[in-house]
Amino acid sequence: MSDRHRIELRWRGRNGRTGRTEIVRAESDESILDAAERADVGLPFGCRTGACATCTGRLLTGKIEHLRPPRGLKNDSKEDGYVLLCIARAKSDCEIEVGSDVQTDLVTNPWK
Amino acid sequence: MSDIESPESGAHEHHEHHHDVEGPGYATPQAAIEQADREKISYVPSLYVGTDVDAPDFLSVVDVDPDSTTYCEVIDTVEMPNKGDELHHFGWNACSSSCHVEGLERRHLVVPGQRSSRLHIVDTKNRESPEIVDVIEPEEVYEYDLSAPHTVHCIPDGEILVSMLGDKDGDLPGGFLELNDDFEIEGRWDPPGEIGMNYDFWYQPRHNVMVSSEWAAPKTYYPGFDLEDVEKGNYGHEINIWDWTNRTVEQTIDLGEEGLIPLEVRFLHSPEAAHGYVGAALSSNMFHFYEREKEWFAEKVINVEPREHEDWDMPVPGLITDLLVSMDDRYLFFSNWLHGDVRMYDVSDPKNPRLADQLWAGGLFGPRHPTGEDDREVIAGPQMLQLSIDGERLYWTTSLFSTWDNQFYPEEAERGSVMLKADVNPRKGTMTLDEDFLVDFGEMPNGPARAHEIRWPDGDCTSDVWQ
């Protein structure tokens, strides 16, 4: 059995503008990245195994589960709601912040 | 062996030399200097991974022929079949180490995806318009419990060796993947468990040695650089000395605090030389390694002092990210990606490098418009280097790694990389920035791209090894 969830993907706005939003439907047995690709919505990604964090998103509302340990995320990032969309499966309707800016939140210049 | 004969006795026609059997490459480094044509095109991996440009990475064919009407332009691109690869380092199927192998051609590039673990085989038969002919998918690589392909070197007899930085999950340890001359995975080259971490490598057959260096686990460096990982010991500080024929580590040299993150490894080109260099990026030291009475040693020979910057809380390390040795083994060049300079050292005495010249372009301390105020600005510092075989032209690009670029030079994602060039005078030991040369990867059809390593079709100062 497979449930469908409504996933709202939100990009950050730049230069004072509102970011774009896309709605995709995700089966409960597919990754959110796969669901987005199926809907022809491009998200950044790399390894597809949860190691590289290129596909980092931030869960704003809803529930997801990672299919395997999200190796590319440190514990505090996980606690802050960051998720890896290549291995994340929706457990409910979700709102997720996406785009390359979200990954850059994870690492700042350590000397600055 | 025929390859120690005087090059004067050989034919001077391009690609032809005095071996018993015809093969790719040049008989000696000196033969390469004498016989190689001037570089006219270069291949440069170009990236969209990790940005909001929804397109695959690609290989750029860059026109570096000043007599051409498309000089300094990307004249063709080879788009990868998938998104998300992070093309990084790449290499030839054959180099001068396979000089004796009949029928083999230096024609195919092995172009790995650092993040995807996918390996692309690009045929450059048509040099100006290469094409992908084969792809090894990540699942095939994971079967050997390896991921994150980095350095590609051809090895004698037509095989290809690829350093792999992680296991199939992006954890440690890495190892080496071997491909055969049909670009099929032959297997794992090394017995598992020989090394903890992996990065770059270079081998020197006459000394039966390979030297490999260390970055970190993919899951550590992929998301970006975190000082906490340094404190936890998650970054490398050792080099491994291998028995080349037995494929086992004979010695591990700990470079200590001064050798944090040893990246690129370059031997001198002479097949007789038992000297090389490895650059420790984070500690910003250059180490000289050498053999004495069957034992290998590594000594710090150059230190780049950290510098204060008004916007930074702590002194900024130079961050040596790439180095190379000129084909005549006389000069060592390296880049300080954070500071923004390229340095040239006379290494006639390999233990005592002497600073010959230094130039500045971009980075935190170099000029933002090094090629002229009307030209586009250079965001990041000099990174991957490539030198012409005759040692007279040094080229470089400015992207390091997508997530690290975003951390240290976030504007590069918006503006893309550049490729720059200096004219080198090997007689005087000087470099002069060529203000008429700038390749702008900010102007690519799908949006600004990052540019990485540089290779010439006929081999270069970081590809060729001699048996």
Side-chain angles (χ1 to χ4, degrees):
Chain A
M1 61 165 218
S2 171
D3 298 323
R4 282 159 71 93
H5 298 293
R6 177 186 189 273
I7 313 293
E8 187 173 322
L9 303 170
R10 286 193 205 159
W11 282 258
R12 278 179 201 172
R14 284 190 189 170
N15 307 325
R17 277 178 289 181
T18 317
R20 114 182 134 102
T21 299
E22 298 276 355
I23 313 285
V24 302
R25 302 281 168 182
E27 306 289 338
S28 60
D29 61 354
E30 70 181 342
S31 75
I32 292 167
L33 177 65
D34 286 340
E37 284 191 323
R38 196 163 44 73
D40 213 17
V41 174
L43 294 177
F45 68 90
C47 70
R48 286 182 174 273
T49 67
C52 89
T54 308
C55 63
T56 302
R58 191 169 189 189
L59 189 64
L60 304 171
T61 64
K63 272 185 74 177
I64 69 105
E65 69 174 11
H66 283 118
L67 291 159
R68 50 189 302 193
R71 289 176 171 76
L73 291 180
K74 301 205 162 167
N75 283 332
D76 50 355
S77 300
K78 277 183 263 181
E79 284 162 19
D80 288 343
Y82 291 96
V83 294
L84 299 184
L85 301 176
C86 72
I87 53 164
R89 200 153 56 174
K91 301 301 284 177
S92 71
D93 290 354
C94 295
E95 292 172 290
I96 303 172
E97 189 179 33
V98 296
S100 63
D101 296 339
V102 183
Q103 192 282 328
T104 61
D105 289 352
L106 301 182
V107 282
T108 52
N109 185 331
W111 287 293
K112 256 182 145 167
Chain B
M1 281 181 67
S2 61
D3 57 357
I4 53 171
E5 287 170 20
S6 147
E8 278 74 30
S9 66
H12 279 252
E13 200 182 321
H14 184 64
H15 256 197
E16 199 178 316
H17 48 73
H18 52 274
H19 271 233
D20 300 338
V21 183
E22 193 68 16
Y26 301 97
T28 62
Q30 182 60 28
I33 294 168
E34 291 172 12
Q35 293 167 8
D37 288 337
R38 187 196 200 280
E39 67 286 356
K40 289 188 173 146
I41 59 163
S42 62
Y43 301 118
V44 181
S46 313
L47 288 81
Y48 287 128
V49 71
T51 68
D52 290 324
V53 177
D54 186 29
D57 296 348
F58 54 100
L59 190 69
S60 290
V61 182
V62 180
D63 187 335
V64 292
D65 177 4
D67 295 331
S68 159
T69 54
T70 50
Y71 184 48
C72 292
E73 291 176 22
V74 173
I75 54 171
D76 192 27
T77 59
V78 185
E79 192 169 81
M80 297 299 116
N82 299 81
K83 296 173 197 166
D85 287 310
E86 183 125 22
L87 303 184
H88 196 63
H89 290 216
F90 67 134
W92 290 103
N93 67 308
C95 77
S96 296
S97 76
S98 16
C99 207
H100 60 290
V101 183
E102 196 174 11
L104 199 62
E105 287 179 85
R106 172 155 39 204
R107 169 169 155 181
H108 290 93
L109 283 167
V110 179
V111 187
Q114 231 296 311
R115 286 184 196 265
S116 67
S117 302
R118 187 176 289 111
L119 300 151
H120 309 88
I121 313 301
V122 174
D123 184 350
T124 67
K125 183 176 169 57
N126 181 342
R127 286 183 171 183
E128 295 186 356
S129 186
E131 54 180 35
I132 294 181
V133 291
D134 206 353
V135 177
I136 300 173
E137 293 296 337
E139 294 71 25
E140 298 171 63
V141 173
Y142 298 152
E143 277 179 39
Y144 298 87
D145 201 18
L146 293 169
S147 70
H150 193 271
T151 302
V152 176
H153 272 299
C154 66
I155 57 177
D157 303 320
E159 308 264 285
I160 297 154
L161 195 58
V162 186
S163 61
M164 308 291 293
L165 275 51
D167 71 4
K168 67 179 182 344
D169 295 318
D171 281 310
L172 295 174
F176 292 86
L177 193 70
E178 188 176 359
L179 308 183
N180 65 23
D181 55 4
D182 286 326
F183 308 108
E184 293 157 340
I185 297 178
E186 185 86 359
R188 199 181 157 128
W189 180 83
D190 53 324
E194 287 294 302
I195 49 168
M197 292 184 199
N198 207 4
Y199 180 71
D200 192 32
F201 70 102
W202 193 294
Y203 63 99
Q204 192 75 322
R206 286 195 202 171
H207 292 275
N208 190 35
V209 68
M210 176 172 92
V211 176
S212 67
S213 59
E214 299 188 330
W215 192 2
K219 70 170 185 188
T220 302
Y221 68 78
Y222 273 157
F225 175 73
D226 187 343
L227 270 181
E228 236 177 66
D229 284 316
V230 178
E231 285 152 21
K232 286 182 188 159
N234 293 341
Y235 276 99
H237 49 83
E238 294 177 339
I239 55 171
N240 290 297
I241 315 289
W242 296 72
D243 180 313
W244 173 244
T245 47
N246 285 338
R247 308 178 176 191
T248 50
V249 174
E250 295 301 302
Q251 239 188 292
T252 295
I253 302 177
D254 188 347
L255 306 175
E257 289 267 309
E258 295 195 309
L260 274 168
I261 320 189
L263 295 179
E264 310 307 319
V265 177
R266 315 284 183 225
F267 261 99
L268 297 192
H269 297 282
S270 162
E272 295 294 334
H275 293 274
Y277 297 93
V278 57
L282 186 59
S283 302
S284 300
N285 290 316
M286 185 64 62
F287 282 79
H288 165 232
F289 57 82
Y290 59 97
E291 184 184 34
R292 193 171 55 207
E293 292 166 7
K294 304 278 174 213
E295 193 179 351
W296 288 81
F297 300 87
E299 283 166 9
K300 183 183 85 175
V301 287
I302 301 167
N303 167 237
V304 176
E305 290 284 343
R307 277 180 68 167
E308 300 284 347
H309 188 283
E310 54 182 2
D311 297 335
W312 290 45
D313 297 334
M314 288 157 71
V316 184
L319 212 81
I320 300 173
T321 50
D322 195 22
L323 56 132
L324 63 79
V325 177
S326 61
M327 197 57 93
D328 62 2
D329 290 341
R330 174 134 182 238
Y331 291 107
L332 168 72
F333 295 86
F334 69 82
S335 55
N336 286 308
W337 187 62
L338 287 178
H339 284 186
D341 59 315
V342 179
R343 295 193 185 188
M344 173 180 185
Y345 282 77
D346 179 343
V347 289
S348 313
D349 174 4
K351 288 186 172 195
N352 294 296
R354 181 185 63 81
L355 181 64
D357 205 0
Q358 179 179 24
L359 66 78
W360 292 87
L364 292 166
F365 299 103
R368 273 242 153 170
H369 296 273
T371 59
E373 288 305 312
D374 293 339
D375 287 348
R376 68 150 285 184
E377 58 185 339
V378 174
I379 310 295
Q383 213 282 99
M384 292 312 291
L385 306 170
Q386 193 52 265
L387 185 67
S388 61
I389 291 179
D390 64 10
E392 298 192 1
R393 291 165 301 282
L394 182 75
Y395 301 77
W396 63 88
T397 54
T398 54
S399 165
L400 176 60
F401 194 59
S402 63
T403 40
W404 294 41
D405 289 355
N406 284 342
Q407 236 176 319
F408 296 105
Y409 295 110
E411 288 167 80
E412 191 153 49
E414 306 291 326
R415 302 295 311 277
S417 300
V418 294
M419 180 169 161
L420 298 175
K421 161 181 174 267
D423 291 310
V424 179
N425 184 331
R427 288 159 298 283
K428 293 185 174 166
T430 57
M431 291 183 290
T432 315
L433 186 78
D434 180 351
E435 294 182 5
D436 296 326
F437 186 97
L438 185 146
V439 183
D440 187 357
F441 288 84
E443 300 291 327
M444 303 308 292
N446 287 312
R450 303 178 202 274
H452 206 70
E453 205 179 23
I454 303 166
R455 298 230 170 268
W456 317 132
D458 291 316
D460 47 57
C461 293
T462 55
S463 289
D464 279 273
V465 174
W466 277 267
Q467 279 212 76

